[in-house]
């Protein structure tokens, strides 16, 4: 019977050629979490950190990517080979539950976010499905074990979404960070806000992708992304892979109209900084691609310049990615039809409505103002006001009573509901006839 350690490695290597670098990294992390749990209690067990390193940096990598193992890693791999439970052991619920419990925790022992758990569980589920396909298991044992976790809606936290004024304050603040770091990145952040681009899409922009007229709206034609991951997981062996757009075929493009404000920002950026050797718009001072940690540091400093201390401590625009959330929320609140907004953002309409349809920061005050200045008409359904008795329920389900207060007087009117027809009558009962009881 195939041991878990070997079986998981076989499945992982089978998926490797078809996955993006970030997906490979996520799969490796999930399987490195669960594999040490599915072992026997044999002597000489290495510490958890060493086992994790042996899996991430050696065993779960394709053979042509593995470095020469250190003696410590070699000992850990040998122990795993000897101690690993057979795949058939997962037919016992106690082992499957132990695996799920491991996926539900972070490395420090605290509970993982629901979205993190669900993502890792999905990886483990697919591994077991593949084992069933190879006839190593009769059925997927995960179907018999339920680990209760709070359901994740996947919705954007509205507290993280900036309004237009706050977004512009942040973009201005970016230009004050450092002598060149901030100014070189300001247009990249502007693409995330005004164009709704993902950070990897903005990083992949080149001059040929940009139509920037002197007046009016421009157009970005996106055709590639530059996602960042550990070198051991990328096809190129560099920290940034060159890939097609997310959820699209390799050569498929996406057109994103951009407002005159972003056109002007990009034209100014090109005039001031030019482009890289390959036409790249955004790059580090050394000429290479900008790392995620570098622009995250600039963003952190910009928040401190643009926001109050309370806002800095809040989730408001905590990450550059939140600019994309703000962009899509703004489009939807402005009345842009969901299919058009979804096309611009590179999402399906269902995802758009579920995840991004959020009010932007500051809209709650507008709603409160509208409520406080509403018409002085109160509608009380199926009740009638009687002097000295307060409110009592009207016996008819076909009526609703409208209490209208204007000035110092009060008028009570009843509406009789008959299908699509609505007739008004006074309390005396003069008006449309009451429908017959069913």
């Amino acid at each position: 019977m195939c041991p878990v350690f070997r079986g998981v490695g076989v499945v992982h290597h089978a998926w490797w050629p078809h996955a993006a670098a970030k997906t490979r990294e996520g799969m490796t992390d999930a399987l490195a979490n669960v594999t040490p749990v599915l072992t026997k209690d044999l002597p000489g067990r290495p510490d958890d950190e060493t086992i994790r390193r042996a899996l991430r940096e050696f065993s779960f990598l394709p053979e042509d990517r593995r470095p020469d193992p250190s003696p410590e890693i070699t000992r850990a791999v040998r122990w795993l080979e000897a101690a690993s439970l057979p795949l058939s052991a997962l037919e016992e619920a106690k082992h499957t539950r132990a695996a799920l419990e491991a996926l539900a925790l972070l490395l420090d022992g605290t509970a993982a976010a629901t979205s993190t758990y669900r993502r890792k569980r999905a990886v483990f589920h697919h591994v077991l499905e593949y084992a069933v396909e190879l006839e190593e298991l009769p059925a997927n044992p995960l179907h018999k074990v339920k680990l209760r976790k709070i359901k994740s809606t996947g919705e954007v936290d509205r507290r993280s979404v900036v309004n237009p004024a706050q977004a512009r304050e942040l973009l201005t603040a970016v230009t004050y960070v450092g002598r060149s770091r901030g100014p070189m990145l300001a247009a990249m952040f502007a693409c995330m806000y005004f164009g709704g681009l993902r950070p990897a899409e903005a990083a992949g922009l080149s001059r040929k992708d940009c139509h920037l007229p002197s007046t009016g709206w421009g157009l970005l034609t996106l055709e590639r992304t530059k996602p960042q991951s550990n070198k051991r997981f990328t096809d190129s062996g560099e920290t940034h892979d060159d890939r097609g757009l997310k959820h699209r075929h390799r050569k498929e493009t996406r057109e994103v109209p951009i407002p005159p404000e972003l056109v002007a920002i990009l034209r100014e950026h090109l005039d001031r900084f030019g482009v890289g050797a390959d036409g790249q718009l955004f790059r580090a001072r050394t000429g290479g691609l900008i790392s995620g940690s570098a622009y995250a540091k600039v963003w952190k400093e910009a928040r401190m310049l643009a926001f109050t201390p309370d806002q800095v401590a809040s989730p408001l625009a905590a990450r550059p990615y939140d600019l994309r959330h703000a962009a899509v929320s703004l489009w939807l609140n402005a009345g842009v039809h969901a299919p058009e907004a979804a096309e611009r953002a590179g999402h399906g309409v269902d995802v758009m409505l579920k995840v991004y349809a959020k009010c932007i920061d500051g809209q709650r005050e507008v709603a409160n103002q509208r409520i406080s200045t509403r018409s002085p008409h109160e509608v009380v359904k199926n009740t009638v006001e009687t002097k000295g008795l307060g409110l009592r329920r009207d016996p008819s389900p076909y009526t609703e009573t409208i209490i209208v207060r204007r000035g110092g007087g009060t008028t009570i009117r009843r509406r009789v509901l008959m299908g699509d027809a609505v007739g008004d009558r006074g309390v005396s009962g003069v008006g449309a006839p009451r429908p017959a009881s069913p």
Side-chain angles (χ1 to χ4, degrees):
M1 176 60 70
C2 179
V4 170
F5 171 60
R6 286 296 180 195
V8 167
V10 168
V11 177
H12 188 51
H13 296 158
W15 285 348
W16 185 282
H18 312 289
K22 294 297 289 184
T23 303
R24 294 168 182 168
E25 186 172 8
M27 290 165 52
T28 302
D29 278 339
L31 297 178
N33 279 4
V34 75
T35 302
V37 177
L38 302 174
T39 55
K40 306 169 190 174
D41 187 15
L42 296 185
R45 179 187 177 100
D47 61 83
D48 290 343
E49 176 58 27
T50 301
I51 292 177
R52 181 175 172 80
R53 284 179 48 227
L55 294 171
R56 276 182 52 87
E57 301 174 13
F58 184 80
S59 295
F60 287 165
L61 294 179
E63 291 188 7
D64 60 348
R65 290 173 178 258
R66 292 176 181 174
D68 293 331
S70 65
E72 183 182 38
I73 296 299
T74 300
R75 287 194 296 270
V77 172
R78 288 175 178 170
W79 185 89
L80 282 166
E81 290 175 339
S84 181
L85 293 171
L87 276 172
S88 59
L90 289 170
E91 296 180 49
E92 297 183 47
K94 65 178 183 180
H95 294 306
T96 306
R97 177 167 289 279
L100 292 179
E101 293 285 357
L103 295 177
L105 298 176
L106 300 177
L107 294 180
D108 60 5
T110 59
T114 301
S115 58
T116 300
Y117 166 73
R118 290 171 65 88
R119 183 176 66 252
K120 291 184 176 182
R121 184 189 183 280
V123 171
F124 190 42
H125 179 273
H126 291 315
V127 167
L128 297 181
E129 286 291 311
Y130 194 70
V132 172
E133 184 179 331
L134 297 178
E135 299 183 351
E136 294 289 347
L137 286 171
N140 193 326
L142 284 189
H143 298 161
K144 299 188 297 184
V145 179
K146 302 297 181 184
L147 186 66
R148 293 183 62 85
K149 294 284 289 184
I150 299 174
K151 290 185 178 180
S152 174
T153 62
E155 294 179 348
V156 175
D157 184 353
R158 73 170 305 279
R159 298 175 300 167
S160 69
V161 181
V162 290
N163 62 35
Q166 292 166 334
R168 287 172 172 82
E169 289 172 0
L170 281 165
L171 294 177
T172 300
V174 167
T175 64
Y176 287 90
V177 177
R179 286 189 294 181
S180 60
R181 288 184 301 137
M184 290 184 72
L185 285 173
M188 180 175 169
F189 291 130
C191 287
M192 299 179 201
Y193 177 67
F194 291 107
L197 271 60
R198 298 178 177 92
E201 292 170 345
L205 273 180
S206 61
R207 181 64 184 89
K208 66 181 179 61
D209 302 327
C210 306
H211 173 60
L212 307 173
S214 57
T215 59
W217 282 64
L219 186 70
L220 300 180
T221 303
L222 309 181
E223 62 176 348
R224 63 177 182 164
T225 62
K226 291 285 187 178
Q228 183 178 349
S229 185
N230 191 292
K231 291 181 180 180
R232 70 172 71 100
F233 300 111
T234 61
D235 290 329
S236 62
E238 304 295 332
T239 55
H240 290 83
D241 249 350
D242 192 343
R243 296 187 61 85
L245 300 179
K246 190 174 182 179
H247 303 311
R248 303 206 178 201
H249 295 297
R250 173 68 181 178
K251 295 185 178 181
E252 192 173 352
T253 62
R254 184 173 95 244
E255 293 186 343
V256 181
I258 57 174
E261 189 170 355
L262 179 55
V263 173
I265 291 173
L266 289 174
R267 288 172 66 94
E268 181 183 352
H269 175 86
L270 290 170
D271 290 342
R272 184 174 178 182
F273 301 108
V275 296
D278 59 351
Q280 203 78 23
L281 258 65
F282 308 117
R283 61 200 186 283
R285 283 175 293 182
T286 58
L289 289 170
I290 301 167
S291 69
S293 59
Y295 68 70
K297 184 177 180 181
V298 170
W299 186 251
K300 182 178 179 180
E301 293 182 40
R303 288 183 80 244
M304 297 183 70
L305 292 173
F307 286 167
T308 65
D310 286 343
Q311 289 174 323
V312 171
S314 75
L316 186 63
R319 310 167 302 158
Y321 204 102
D322 291 328
L323 289 173
R324 170 176 161 84
H325 296 329
V328 181
S329 295
L330 179 62
W331 298 343
L332 294 171
N333 281 287
V336 177
H337 291 171
E340 173 63 20
E343 175 61 27
R344 295 186 183 205
H347 267 302
V349 176
D350 55 340
V351 174
M352 176 69 61
L353 296 177
K354 180 180 178 181
V355 177
Y356 291 105
K358 287 293 184 180
C359 293
I360 58 177
D361 189 66
Q363 286 298 299
R364 181 170 294 173
E365 288 72 19
V366 174
N368 291 345
Q369 182 65 22
R370 289 176 178 174
I371 292 171
S372 64
T373 58
R374 67 186 174 86
S375 171
H377 288 59
E378 293 184 42
V379 178
V380 184
K381 290 187 176 181
N382 294 332
T383 62
V384 62
E385 187 169 355
T386 305
K387 185 176 181 180
L389 297 179
L391 293 176
R392 65 178 176 82
R393 185 163 299 280
D394 187 287
S396 170
Y398 299 99
T399 66
E400 68 178 14
T401 301
I402 303 175
I403 305 172
V404 183
R405 296 187 176 95
R406 286 194 178 92
T410 299
T411 303
I412 301 177
R413 298 191 63 80
R414 265 182 174 166
R415 291 196 305 173
V416 179
L417 309 179
M418 298 180 64
D420 294 331
V422 179
D424 285 347
R425 67 178 180 178
V427 176
S428 61
V430 178
R434 185 186 298 271
S437 300

